[in-house]
Amino acid sequence: MPPNLTKPNSGFTSKPSPLCTFVSLIILLIIGFYTLHYPPGNPKKVLLFQQIFLSSASNSTIASYLRSLTSHPHLAGTKPSLETIHYVKTHFQNLGLETHTVPFQTLLSYPVHASVSMHFGNSTVLNLPLNEMGIPSYPSSGLIQPYHAFSPSGTVHGKVVFANHGREDDYRTLGMMGVNVNGCIVIIRKGGGLSRGAVVKIAEKKGALGVLTYAEGDVSKGSFGSGVERGTVMEGVGDPLTPGWGADEDGERLKLEDKKVLERFPGIPSLPLPFESAQLILDSLEGPLAPQEWRDSGRSNLSHVGSGLVMVNFTYQGEKKLATIYNVVAVIRGLEEPDRYVLMGNHRDAWTYGAVDPNSGTATLLDIARRYALLMRKGWNPRRTIIFCSWDAEEFGMIGSTEWVEQNLVNLGAKAVAYLNVDCAVQGPGFFAGATPQLDNLIFEVTKKVQDQDSEVVATIYEKWKTMNGNNIQRLSGVDSDFAPFLQHAGVPSVDIYYGRDFPVYHTAFDSFNWMINNADPFFWRHVADNTALLFDMLVAGVWGLLGLHLADDPVLPLDYLSYAKQLQKLMEQEFTNDLLALKIRALNDRLMLAERGFLDTDGIKGREWFKHLVSVFFSKIAVRTEVLHTGMAM
């Protein structure tokens, strides 16, 4: 039967869902209880500290941090990375913060030798370049050659097939054209939404001998389009030898040949290529014509999908070894709730120089710490504890943050308020945010306080963001940055923010301070915005820092579960036919059913120990007072 189109469908007339009503009631109860027992501090003083934080931004300061952090490559587990560890640790210590270095011994992966050559029918051989053009000698610059971490070593020799983005759909398309990749080397271009590891796993399943990847780059960027994208192909996050527990230096470890370890790695070798080398291989392909969509969708000059008469010999030799990595953690103790933690984190390690990824974020984190220290000198003390986290070995699979979360899982489960992550603070224009739903409204509130320097007219980040994508906050469902272990493993509410979507030098040797000042952010405006009417504002640091201040200082935590309820409501409207999904829904319902138990105090109310429900007692007091008031009025 079709819906009654004459029936009003307004949010004002529709009956609220039981879930929304339930969550709303809980929020009102909590707010009422805490407002009565813990009245908010002086709002004028709170606002003053926020204004001091925003007005103390300095573009020269953040630029100096970034220049120091990117003075040389600093891949995790290598000797040059120790300098950045010392730099960050010294910065926190000089601010007077309680600072710790937390070492872990984890399995990392480095290249030893790689080569790719084309073998023609007339017995000639062409060795293909594997490094970026225009980059000084790799040994003298400290750069490690492009590679895929955790790729198995091996030598393969065979014909080549172009598999577009390496998706299942792409292989189905090849199959319909009569092209089989079994026994061949596949060449794949970046894109399509799959991780590197997933691309290699699928190719392995299809019978490929090995995988060569390339990024098409941006021809308008000149030599930057020749960058080679490094990355990991390991599945999952964290140290593969210590799944589920922290990788302490003297702790228990699985063996490298253990099945649980081996299944984290692909079974065929892979390697990234410069665009120019990839194009030489594409030019040699014969066989069926590529679909028009494949030919029109990129920079490469593509005609056929392969294979052809030309054979490719591909060798990769890598080394997996235990290496010591170091997280740096700095603490500002909370005055009233020291056992509640607001965590602000960013990874420090980089495949090369890492000006955008990750040190634009690291420089911003250091500047927030500087300004928080300034607030402390002016008399500010946060209500809750703030923890600054500088992670190591993120590029290998969120290893530093995952090991720390696994090591501190019980504490985090009981005490963590939220984790605020910034990976690449500045990639280009436009603000983007991802979060768990209960933090949506806090993000909206904070972005209304920071000016967007990209705007031709005075506008807040919120206003500019709204015109771009309607203030869309993405959900953190992926495992592509350090929020993953906090959210996916420890269940901590999380935020991930950044400025700009993509950048052409991602994971390449061109991700340097020089590229940042000449291409991404010449005047550090996206790090710092000049609000002449009121204050100097930081953009990313302004949003990140204000989020931290609210979560650390607000008497009642600014977590809005109405947003979460709306997300759950969409979930509830689906039809559940999958048995596993039905079990997950039951588990969710169990948690909703048990939510009321969260208001119980084990020891009970003092003097009335049998009564354990804190909020119910609060409402009984309100009811008694109301009855007395009405009785008095009646008399």
Side-chain angles (χ1 to χ4, degrees):
M1 179 180 294
N4 184 355
L5 299 179
T6 63
K7 185 177 181 179
N9 192 29
S10 167
F12 294 100
T13 58
S14 60
K15 183 179 179 180
S17 72
L19 179 60
C20 288
T21 304
F22 172 74
V23 175
S24 302
L25 178 60
I26 289 179
I27 293 168
L28 290 173
L29 292 175
I30 294 172
I31 292 174
F33 179 79
Y34 278 95
T35 302
L36 182 67
H37 289 79
Y38 304 98
N42 187 339
K44 291 184 179 179
K45 196 170 184 180
V46 171
L47 181 60
L48 174 63
F49 284 130
Q50 291 180 7
Q51 291 172 338
I52 293 172
F53 170 80
L54 290 173
S55 63
S56 58
S58 167
N59 59 347
S60 60
T61 300
I62 203 167
S64 70
Y65 297 155
L66 187 62
R67 185 186 295 274
S68 297
L69 288 162
T70 59
S71 59
H72 54 73
H74 47 282
L75 184 62
T78 65
K79 188 175 180 180
S81 72
L82 297 176
E83 292 185 31
T84 60
I85 296 165
H86 177 73
Y87 182 82
V88 171
K89 180 181 178 181
T90 302
H91 175 81
F92 287 142
Q93 289 176 327
N94 289 343
L95 294 175
L97 304 184
E98 176 188 334
T99 306
H100 309 275
T101 336
V102 187
F104 292 105
Q105 195 168 56
T106 67
L107 187 70
L108 300 183
S109 165
Y110 303 98
V112 175
H113 169 75
S115 65
V116 177
S117 56
M118 299 176 66
H119 297 251
F120 298 89
N122 58 3
S123 298
T124 59
V125 176
L126 176 63
N127 293 314
L128 300 181
L130 301 182
N131 298 335
E132 286 100 341
M133 295 188 304
I135 295 293
S137 172
Y138 273 67
S140 63
S141 65
L143 286 167
I144 292 178
Q145 68 183 79
Y147 76 112
H148 285 160
F150 299 109
S151 167
S153 299
T155 296
V156 295
H157 185 81
K159 296 183 177 182
V160 179
V161 172
F162 176 71
N164 197 28
H165 297 306
R167 302 166 298 194
E168 291 282 359
D169 284 350
D170 295 322
Y171 287 103
R172 277 192 286 271
T173 300
L174 288 174
M176 292 171 62
M177 298 163 59
V179 177
N180 188 351
V181 303
N182 187 55
C184 297
I185 298 169
V186 295
I187 184 167
I188 294 169
R189 62 180 167 193
K190 177 189 173 183
L194 293 179
S195 67
R196 295 174 209 87
V199 164
V200 179
K201 281 279 189 181
I202 293 172
E204 179 184 356
K205 186 174 69 174
K206 302 298 180 183
L209 299 176
V211 178
L212 299 172
T213 67
Y214 70 97
E216 296 199 307
D218 186 346
V219 70
S220 66
K221 298 297 183 183
S223 62
F224 296 135
S226 301
V228 186
E229 182 185 305
R230 297 139 176 89
T232 181
V233 291
M234 182 179 71
E235 190 174 287
V237 300
D239 175 33
L241 301 184
T242 59
W245 66 92
D248 297 328
E249 291 183 284
D250 299 322
E252 181 183 356
R253 284 175 174 76
L254 300 179
K255 300 294 184 182
L256 188 57
E257 61 272 14
D258 190 288
K259 183 182 178 182
K260 286 186 177 180
V261 177
L262 293 176
E263 63 189 15
R264 296 278 299 272
F265 311 135
I268 59 175
S270 63
L271 192 71
L273 295 178
F275 174 80
E276 292 77 12
S277 295
Q279 185 63 67
L280 289 172
I281 294 176
L282 296 177
D283 287 341
S284 73
L285 298 182
E286 300 177 3
L289 279 175
Q292 192 65 45
E293 179 186 352
W294 292 10
R295 284 183 275 163
D296 294 341
S297 62
R299 169 188 168 196
S300 53
N301 180 22
L302 175 68
S303 296
H304 302 269
V305 297
S307 56
L309 297 177
V310 176
M311 304 289 285
V312 166
N313 194 79
F314 159 34
T315 296
Y316 173 74
Q317 181 182 353
E319 177 186 26
K320 298 183 183 75
K321 65 179 183 180
L322 285 176
T324 303
I325 63 172
Y326 298 89
N327 296 329
V328 181
V329 177
V331 180
I332 302 176
R333 296 285 173 185
L335 189 63
E336 296 166 272
E337 298 182 63
D339 60 341
R340 295 294 178 262
Y341 306 152
V342 176
L343 301 112
M344 307 176 71
N346 159 269
H347 79 92
R348 182 186 62 253
D349 64 299
W351 289 112
T352 62
Y353 300 97
V356 175
D357 180 12
N359 294 131
S360 63
T362 307
T364 303
L365 185 69
L366 298 184
D367 197 58
I368 291 173
R370 175 187 68 83
R371 290 195 272 163
Y372 281 5
L374 174 64
L375 295 185
M376 293 173 70
R377 292 196 296 271
K378 293 183 178 294
W380 170 75
N381 285 289
R383 181 185 185 92
R384 303 175 187 92
T385 295
I386 296 172
I387 303 178
F388 296 106
C389 309
S390 175
W391 308 119
D392 205 351
E394 186 270 356
E395 297 293 10
F396 287 88
M398 279 65 75
I399 291 180
S401 58
T402 299
E403 298 313 303
W404 193 82
V405 167
E406 290 175 345
Q407 186 184 65
N408 295 279
L409 188 60
V410 175
N411 253 340
L412 291 171
K415 301 176 181 179
V417 171
Y419 174 69
L420 310 177
N421 186 74
V422 170
D423 195 336
C424 308
V426 178
Q427 302 178 92
F431 179 77
F432 296 89
T436 46
Q438 71 273 56
L439 289 161
D440 287 358
N441 285 336
L442 179 60
I443 294 173
F444 293 147
E445 179 184 345
V446 165
T447 53
K448 291 175 181 177
K449 298 179 180 179
V450 183
Q451 299 296 325
D452 189 328
Q453 188 66 33
D454 276 347
S455 300
E456 295 180 2
V457 296
V458 177
T460 64
I461 286 182
Y462 178 87
E463 292 166 333
K464 183 69 176 293
W465 181 22
K466 187 175 182 179
T467 62
M468 289 184 63
N469 62 9
N471 303 123
N472 178 47
I473 296 180
Q474 303 159 31
R475 294 295 161 235
L476 300 177
S477 57
V479 287
D480 52 354
S481 195
D482 289 303
F483 61 79
F486 285 91
L487 175 60
Q488 310 291 356
H489 193 63
V492 177
S494 299
V495 170
D496 186 45
I497 58 175
Y498 48 102
Y499 221 78
R501 175 68 75 177
D502 296 308
F503 61 107
V505 297
Y506 175 71
H507 284 191
T508 76
F510 296 111
D511 184 9
S512 64
F513 184 83
N514 181 62
W515 186 87
M516 175 69 83
I517 62 174
N518 289 312
N519 297 272
D521 191 6
F523 303 107
F524 288 85
W525 279 349
R526 296 186 188 105
H527 284 83
V528 184
D530 182 9
N531 178 355
T532 56
L534 297 172
L535 311 158
F536 264 101
D537 294 300
M538 295 278 289
L539 292 185
V540 176
V543 174
W544 197 6
L546 286 180
L547 286 172
L549 288 178
H550 276 285
L551 288 163
D553 280 343
D554 287 6
V556 177
L557 285 171
L559 304 178
D560 180 6
Y561 279 87
L562 289 177
S563 296
Y564 227 124
K566 292 176 182 177
Q567 296 287 317
L568 292 174
Q569 186 65 39
K570 292 179 181 178
L571 189 63
M572 293 169 67
E573 290 169 356
Q574 299 176 8
E575 293 185 9
F576 305 112
T577 55
N578 182 283
D579 290 340
L580 179 60
L581 188 57
L583 289 175
K584 291 182 181 296
I585 293 302
R586 178 175 171 81
L588 172 61
N589 287 334
D590 288 344
R591 284 162 175 75
L592 291 172
M593 178 186 71
L594 296 172
E596 192 72 16
R597 277 62 145 189
F599 293 112
L600 298 181
D601 187 310
T602 305
D603 297 328
I605 309 302
K606 188 175 182 180
R608 304 171 66 194
E609 283 73 16
W610 188 86
F611 295 91
K612 300 181 182 297
H613 197 296
L614 298 175
V615 180
S616 178
V617 170
F618 161 70
F619 268 102
S620 68
K621 290 181 179 179
I622 293 294
V624 169
R625 291 174 186 173
T626 303
E627 183 178 351
V628 170
L629 180 63
H630 282 293
T631 303
M633 290 177 64
M635 293 173 63

